Amino acid sequence: MAGRGNYVQRDRAPTAALFTPLKVAELTLRNRLAVAPMTRVSATSEGNPTQRMSDYYAAFAEGGFGLVITEGLYTDKAYSQGYLFQPGLSDEAQGDGWRPIVERVHGQGARMIAQLMHAGALSQGSIYRKDTRGPSAVRPKGQQMAFYRGTGEYPMPVAMSRGEISEAVGGFAKAARLAKESGFDGVEIHGANGYLLDQFLTEGINLRDDRYGGDIEARLRLIAEVAQAVRDAVGPQFVVGVRISQGKVNDFVHKWSGSEDEAARIFGLVGRLPIDYLHTTEFEAWRPAFGAGASLTALAKKHVAIPVLANGSLHDPEQAAGLIESSEADFISLGRGALTNPDWPRRVTAGASLEAFDPGILSPIADLENADKHRAGIVPVAS
């Protein structure tokens, strides 16, 4: 375990492990610190990035992070969009909009990866479709998220046809190609948090009786097909990652039914895909994944031969470094810690204090405009 209580002081700064370079395939990162993907619903209504988004992402690079991962970008104009004002990577205009943002991040010495996302049955706002698609006609648990402009229950999805599955796979591949053309250093396939690829993996949500349903290998088939299609689209030198989780945005406490044995099978299969890193996310990355035993990131590290990126409440520097020191992860990503302290790496290096997370910056709408107003002391109004 890599908690604060059992961190072993070395003959160097306790956070030094965070500030060594890391090579991910052909990409060299200046440190082990990444900005986690965080949905900010701040694009234009057509999904194009804005100047405010450019400033937002550039601030992380200027603040010393080695890697910046975008929020989830929708991948097609069929059923992938999850939220109104979510940015996309589904056409050349959207791709062109990301080019100057990537250049600004590169200009500050950081690398940038585009996270590719299909919301599936969790879509609660799309300009392209009024209905939703998922692996099966199973209504998602919980309520739509108000701070992403949702209200009430999730709609009942329609089970995807084989043609619609192929369309979704093609959307990931096209988005990856556009990411490469726009200057990104890689893409991350969003297979976590309850979105489409995770829906296909999850028992009780995926009730299919075709080649995409049944045992773990079948339920992972869509992730495998997406990974291969993305790799074919971008070639062997472009970084491709996958994000995996147990919990979901609409079901935080979900656990895989087979515990560590199922985790071993999932990570064993994912680790054989043509990808370059695996991104695990839990609420607290260092906690046992199944009540006792190893953390999810440690299980991933045990069963894959590629770098593992750990996410989950790692804003305490020594705790973050501890995961790397204990070989439970190769690098770490920060969400709330980066949101509050976009210069987190520079502060830690200088021994400066870190600001505590203020949930007010995500309320009532989790967009950048409301965050700016909150910091300025202006009471924001839901829109």
Side-chain angles (χ1 to χ4, degrees), residues 38-377:
M38 293 177 282
T39 300
R40 302 312 309 273
V41 290
S42 297
T44 67
S45 59
E46 297 81 18
N48 296 311
T50 63
Q51 182 61 45
R52 183 178 260 124
M53 289 171 60
S54 179
D55 296 341
Y56 167 77
Y57 283 112
F60 296 123
E62 184 179 359
F65 284 93
L67 176 64
V68 177
I69 306 175
T70 72
E71 60 206 282
L73 311 180
Y74 66 82
T75 52
D76 61 47
K77 295 183 179 179
Y79 296 99
S80 69
Q81 185 177 3
Y83 307 107
L84 297 176
F85 300 99
Q86 176 189 4
L89 199 52
S90 64
D91 60 30
E92 283 75 11
Q94 292 171 345
D96 288 344
W98 281 103
R99 187 171 288 110
I101 301 177
V102 176
E103 290 173 353
R104 285 187 68 183
V105 169
H106 285 170
Q108 295 293 334
R111 304 292 94 193
M112 195 168 192
I113 283 177
Q115 189 191 63
L116 308 182
M117 169 186 156
H118 192 305
L122 292 190
S123 176
Q124 60 179 53
S126 172
I127 63 173
Y128 306 108
R129 298 289 191 275
K130 297 302 181 185
D131 54 349
T132 61
R133 292 294 186 271
S136 304
V138 175
R139 188 186 301 276
K141 291 183 178 181
Q143 301 286 306
Q144 297 182 52
M145 290 174 281
F147 53 79
Y148 293 145
R149 300 183 176 87
T151 181
E153 291 185 320
Y154 287 95
M156 177 70 78
V158 175
M160 295 179 80
S161 68
R162 291 288 289 273
E164 288 169 339
I165 291 174
S166 295
E167 182 178 38
V169 173
F172 276 97
K174 179 182 178 181
R177 176 180 58 78
L178 289 170
K180 184 177 181 180
E181 292 173 355
S182 300
F184 282 100
D185 300 288
V187 293
E188 178 174 288
I189 298 165
H190 199 346
N193 301 117
Y195 297 114
L196 182 71
L197 302 187
D198 185 40
Q199 291 161 27
F200 270 81
L201 174 60
T202 303
E203 293 177 288
I205 296 175
N206 182 348
L207 306 180
R208 301 179 73 96
D209 59 5
D210 61 4
R211 66 196 300 264
Y212 295 98
D215 63 14
I216 292 175
E217 186 167 359
R219 286 183 278 117
L220 274 169
R221 191 182 305 279
L222 183 56
I223 292 179
E225 289 183 356
V226 167
Q228 188 61 60
V230 165
R231 176 58 70 200
D232 290 344
V234 299
Q237 305 300 317
F238 196 65
V239 169
V240 177
V242 167
R243 194 181 210 213
I244 291 286
S245 71
Q246 295 191 95
K248 310 173 191 311
V249 294
N250 64 317
D251 186 3
F252 293 128
V253 299
H254 178 82
K255 298 291 183 183
W256 294 333
S257 63
S259 299
E260 289 198 13
D261 289 340
E262 183 158 344
R265 290 191 64 193
I266 290 171
F267 291 138
L269 290 165
V270 172
R272 293 199 290 271
L273 299 178
I275 62 175
D276 302 303
Y277 74 91
L278 180 63
H279 190 178
T280 64
T281 178
E282 294 269 79
F283 178 65
E284 294 177 324
W286 62 91
R287 300 288 186 194
F290 301 102
S295 65
L296 193 69
T297 184
L299 290 169
K301 186 72 177 150
K302 179 179 179 180
H303 295 289
V304 303
I306 53 179
V308 172
L309 175 60
N311 171 261
S313 302
L314 291 169
H315 35 267
D316 178 87
E318 291 190 36
Q319 198 156 57
L323 275 187
I324 297 174
E325 291 278 11
S326 62
S327 300
E328 292 188 51
D330 297 287
F331 52 146
I332 65 104
S333 67
L334 298 180
R336 288 171 294 161
L339 202 58
T340 309
N341 303 279
D343 58 347
W344 193 98
R346 296 200 187 282
R347 288 186 182 222
V348 172
T349 300
S353 62
L354 296 168
E355 299 295 329
F357 174 67
D358 179 0
I361 64 176
L362 301 178
S363 177
I365 300 295
D367 65 3
L368 299 176
E369 180 180 3
N370 276 322
D372 289 344
K373 289 179 177 178
H374 180 79
R375 293 189 181 100

